[in-house]
């Protein structure tokens, strides 16, 4: 069996200067790249997810609540949907696009080019353990990690390589990780309360 790193939504729109910027997002991109360079043999496989919206319905709102509705972000064909330039992408084996016509927080809702799901890709490659990093700790990282655990993967969230939207929702995510038997390492970058 083997292990994989899942890089969640490290996209321009979720980093400083983007339409839905999360404080520390660019630092997360750079930190992931440093880790990949420093520990090139740590993971057998590396995959990534992208928010990839066309018309996600009520996910976008003119007056967002920043819990279930959001400003427009990661729209297909816009610069904001691209990976942040600080993220080293040369070792990413597959990218799973999610949310064309729905909210789709979890990478497990996405599909690679050709239609393969993340869970099928991981199983086809004999993966039994995953580490999850990216943006945002309390939303897409949370959903992806919980789905990974639900699918039977031994799951660890490397919190130092995640950035969070808000303290309250981050606390909810951390409790959910504990309840699902997900290992956490470090602490997320988070906006001040």
């Amino acid at each position: 069996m083997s292990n994989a790193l899942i890089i969640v939504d490290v996209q321009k729109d979720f980093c400083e200067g983007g339409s839905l910027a999360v404080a520390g997002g660019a630092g997360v991109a750079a930190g992931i790249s440093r880790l990949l360079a420093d520990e090139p043999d740590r993971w057998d496989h590396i995959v990534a997810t992208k928010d990839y919206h066309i018309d996600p319905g009520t996910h976008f709102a003119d007056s967002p609540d920043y819990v279930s509705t959001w400003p427009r972000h990661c729209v297909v064909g816009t610069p904001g949907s691209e990976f942040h330039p600080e993220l080293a992408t040369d070792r990413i084996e597959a990218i799973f696009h999610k949310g064309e016509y729905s909210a789709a927080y979890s990478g497990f809702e996405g599909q690679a080019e050709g239609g393969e799901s993340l869970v099928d890709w991981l199983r086809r490659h004999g993966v039994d353990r995953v580490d999850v990093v990216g943006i945002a700790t309390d939303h897409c990282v949370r959903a992806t990690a919980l789905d990974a655990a639900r699918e039977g993967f031994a799951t660890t969230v490397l919190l130092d390589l995640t950035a969070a939207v808000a303290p309250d929702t981050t606390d909810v995510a951390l409790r959910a990780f504990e309840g699902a038997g997900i290992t956490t390492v470090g602490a997320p970058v988070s906006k001040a309360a």
Side-chain angles (χ1 to χ4, degrees), residues 45-59:
H45 301 286
I46 299 169
V47 298
T49 69
K50 272 189 173 185
D51 244 19
Y52 207 65
H53 296 310
I54 296 171
D55 181 8
T58 59
H59 186 59

Side-chain angles (χ1 to χ4, degrees), residues 7-163:
I7 302 169
V8 177
D9 298 1
V10 181
Q11 293 164 266
K12 290 180 181 178
D13 270 349
F14 293 138
C15 297
E16 291 82 352
S19 66
L20 186 51
V22 179
V28 165
I32 293 167
S33 297
R34 276 193 304 276
L35 184 59
L36 290 172
D38 292 346
E39 300 185 38
D41 300 322
R42 182 167 175 173
W43 296 281
D44 300 305
H45 301 286
I46 299 169
V47 298
T49 69
K50 272 189 173 185
D51 244 19
Y52 207 65
H53 296 310
I54 296 171
D55 181 8
T58 59
H59 186 59
F60 288 167
D62 291 332
S63 298
D65 63 13
Y66 295 92
V67 176
S68 59
T69 60
W70 308 91
R72 290 176 60 81
H73 61 275
C74 300
V75 174
V76 173
T78 66
S81 69
E82 298 304 317
F83 287 123
H84 190 276
E86 291 291 321
L87 179 67
T89 59
D90 55 307
R91 293 185 49 208
I92 294 173
E93 297 172 58
I95 299 168
F96 297 86
H97 296 98
K98 59 189 178 66
E100 287 95 331
Y101 299 100
S102 63
Y105 293 92
S106 172
F108 285 84
E109 297 175 76
Q111 294 184 340
E113 191 173 316
E116 187 172 27
S117 69
L118 177 54
V119 68
D120 288 344
W121 192 97
L122 293 170
R123 288 188 175 137
R124 182 166 60 83
H125 287 84
V127 171
D128 61 339
R129 292 169 286 121
V130 298
D131 289 344
V132 183
V133 298
I135 306 169
T137 319
D138 37 348
H139 295 282
C140 295
V141 168
R142 173 184 178 268
T144 301
L146 290 172
D147 278 354
R150 196 172 299 117
E151 292 288 351
F153 299 100
T155 304
T156 300
V157 178
L158 306 180
L159 292 171
D160 290 345
L161 295 175
T162 69

Side-chain angles (χ1 to χ4, degrees), residues 164-182:
V165 172
D168 290 349
T169 47
T170 300
D171 289 343
V172 170
L174 296 177
R175 287 194 300 273
F177 294 155
E178 184 178 4
I182 294 169

